[in-house]
Amino acid sequence: MRGIGISKDKKATIFNAFNQAENASDNNLKGFGLGLTISKKLVELLGGKLTLDSKLNVGSTFTLKIPVKLSDKPIIKTKEIKKTTTAFNLTAVVVEDDASVRLLLNDFLKQFNIEVYTFENAQNAINAIDEISYDFVITDIQLPKMNGIHFMEILKNHKLYKNQPIIAMTGRANISREEYLKIGFAEVLIKPFNSNQLQDVLHRFFKSSSIPIKTKVVESTEKATVGFSIKSLQSFLGNDIASIKNTLQIFLEDTKKNSLTLIKAKEDTDIKTLNEISHKMLSMFKQLEVKAVIPYLEVFETTTTIDKAKFIDFEKQLNNFIKTLEEYLN
């Protein structure tokens, strides 16, 4: 099959036609407007001809003739490339008290054909573990009701435990990887970690296979973020904008609730709650690189007193971020 070609010289002169056409005139086209005059001029530049046959009370017929040259170059047919992705075909148990992080891990692992059971706390996971034939566990360390270390010890003494890897997640970098391994964990991920780090851990323990990627039309966007970054979410979720926005929406709702809890903790001088909620919030705020808020949460995470002036500044920065995120999602 061959295509129609127009010489470069003719293409270059077309742009000059609009300047010339305003002064052009033709008796055959008189009365039919500037548009036809411009059209006629362009046709002539291409070596063609535009004519008019008009009959009173009958109508008008416009005839356009343009000489063309058929290209000798064949049209190249591109072959469709079949893309593949990694599949582990496993079952995972994820324990994380932060709803947005929990959703992020759930969506990420499912991309690798991993069935995921998520729990907000370790006690709920233990209550359900008899019904789950799991291959590995990912658990946060600082959890409500029961911490990740105690949870790991209970799992290892459970009748269904068969040396499945139990992977720790923590936002505290003051304990080394070796110490976590000595305690009994198979591996540790320091928050915020990226998608490649998590994949590396999975590859260390399990064999994978390649499967065709299911064609999925995803919405693309160039919408800029202000005061935060979604690069990490894009890495985890494959630039799936719907999933990213869903995760951000959950994060926004969680942040508003946590904000109210922190305010009450300040009013009640409840240092323990202030520490716990700040620690919980830090993971996702670091994941999103919310630089205006992170320093305050890092202070509140370990503080033994409440600096009211600092807390007022924190509220201002947090409210500004919440407003910015709402505008981005809307």
Side-chain angles (χ1 to χ4, degrees):
M1 184 176 181
R2 293 179 294 174
I4 295 173
I6 297 174
S7 70
K8 291 183 179 179
D9 293 337
K10 287 183 179 178
K11 286 180 181 178
T13 57
I14 287 175
F15 295 101
N16 297 324
F18 290 97
N19 294 326
Q20 302 172 17
E22 290 183 358
N23 300 320
S25 63
D26 187 277
N27 292 331
N28 290 335
L29 298 176
K30 189 176 181 180
F32 286 92
L34 181 60
L36 285 174
T37 303
I38 293 174
S39 298
K40 181 175 183 292
K41 190 68 177 178
L42 292 174
V43 170
E44 290 173 348
L45 287 169
L46 293 172
K49 189 175 182 182
L50 177 63
T51 59
L52 165 66
D53 181 19
S54 182
K55 294 181 180 179
L56 187 63
N57 298 325
V58 175
S60 302
T61 301
F62 297 90
T63 303
L64 172 65
K65 294 181 179 180
I66 300 177
V68 296
K69 179 182 178 181
L70 296 178
S71 174
D72 296 327
K73 295 180 180 180
I75 296 176
I76 301 173
K77 294 183 179 180
T78 57
K79 294 182 179 180
E80 184 179 350
I81 300 174
K82 293 184 178 180
K83 296 183 179 180
T84 61
T85 188
T86 302
F88 286 98
N89 302 313
L90 302 169
T91 299
V93 171
V94 174
V95 185
E96 167 62 62
D97 60 331
D98 187 296
S100 48
V101 176
R102 195 164 61 244
L103 177 63
L104 182 63
L105 290 172
N106 178 73
D107 289 351
F108 174 75
L109 293 173
K110 283 185 174 179
Q111 294 179 79
F112 298 97
N113 205 28
I114 297 174
E115 186 178 6
V116 187
Y117 292 86
T118 60
F119 299 93
E120 184 178 358
N121 60 68
Q123 188 59 59
N124 289 345
I126 289 171
N127 294 339
I129 206 70
D130 284 341
E131 307 299 324
I132 304 172
S133 180
Y134 64 94
D135 297 292
F136 67 97
V137 174
I138 301 178
T139 179
D140 191 24
I141 292 297
Q142 191 165 324
L143 294 165
K145 300 182 181 181
M146 180 190 301
N147 65 46
I149 297 173
H150 189 193
F151 173 54
M152 177 266 295
E153 292 171 345
I154 291 176
L155 278 183
K156 287 198 168 186
N157 289 310
H158 193 274
K159 61 183 180 181
L160 294 179
Y161 182 70
K162 298 177 182 178
N163 294 316
Q164 297 98 320
I166 302 176
I167 301 159
M169 295 184 295
T170 180
R172 298 189 185 279
N174 57 336
I175 302 178
S176 69
R177 173 178 177 269
E178 287 69 27
E179 288 177 281
Y180 279 104
L181 298 184
K182 286 180 182 178
I183 291 170
F185 287 101
E187 191 52 88
V188 60
L189 291 164
I190 305 297
K191 296 178 179 178
F193 52 87
N194 59 46
S195 59
N196 290 332
Q197 289 172 306
L198 181 49
Q199 284 187 65
D200 288 344
V201 169
L202 293 177
H203 280 293
R204 202 174 305 156
F205 295 107
F206 304 105
K207 292 181 179 180
S208 62
S209 59
S210 295
I211 59 172
I213 294 177
K214 294 180 180 179
T215 303
K216 183 178 181 181
V217 178
V218 295
E219 177 190 355
S220 62
T221 181
E222 295 297 330
K223 191 173 183 181
T225 58
V226 179
F228 67 100
S229 171
I230 62 170
K231 289 182 180 178
S232 176
L233 299 191
Q234 289 173 326
S235 172
F236 272 101
L237 302 174
N239 204 27
D240 186 333
I241 300 304
S243 295
I244 291 172
K245 286 190 173 182
N246 188 35
T247 301
L248 288 174
Q249 189 64 51
I250 297 296
F251 170 64
L252 174 62
E253 294 167 4
D254 232 24
T255 299
K256 289 179 179 179
K257 292 177 184 177
N258 290 332
S259 175
L260 295 175
T261 304
L262 287 176
I263 291 171
K264 189 174 188 309
K266 183 209 63 168
E267 293 172 349
D268 297 342
T269 318
D270 184 352
I271 303 297
K272 181 182 178 182
T273 299
L274 184 74
N275 294 157
E276 290 176 350
I277 298 300
S278 298
H279 174 80
K280 175 183 174 182
M281 293 173 69
L282 261 173
S283 295
M284 201 62 180
F285 272 81
K286 286 182 176 180
Q287 207 79 47
L288 296 174
E289 300 177 28
V290 190
K291 296 178 181 179
V293 178
I294 290 172
Y296 294 97
L297 292 175
E298 287 178 332
V299 170
F300 297 158
E301 180 187 22
T302 57
T303 189
T304 56
T305 59
I306 298 178
D307 185 329
K308 292 184 178 179
K310 186 178 289 292
F311 196 92
I312 290 172
D313 291 340
F314 162 70
E315 279 190 271
K316 181 179 178 181
Q317 294 295 340
L318 183 61
N319 288 333
N320 286 341
F321 168 69
I322 288 173
K323 183 179 178 181
T324 299
L325 184 54
E326 285 176 331
E327 290 174 351
Y328 177 82
L329 290 172
N330 292 332

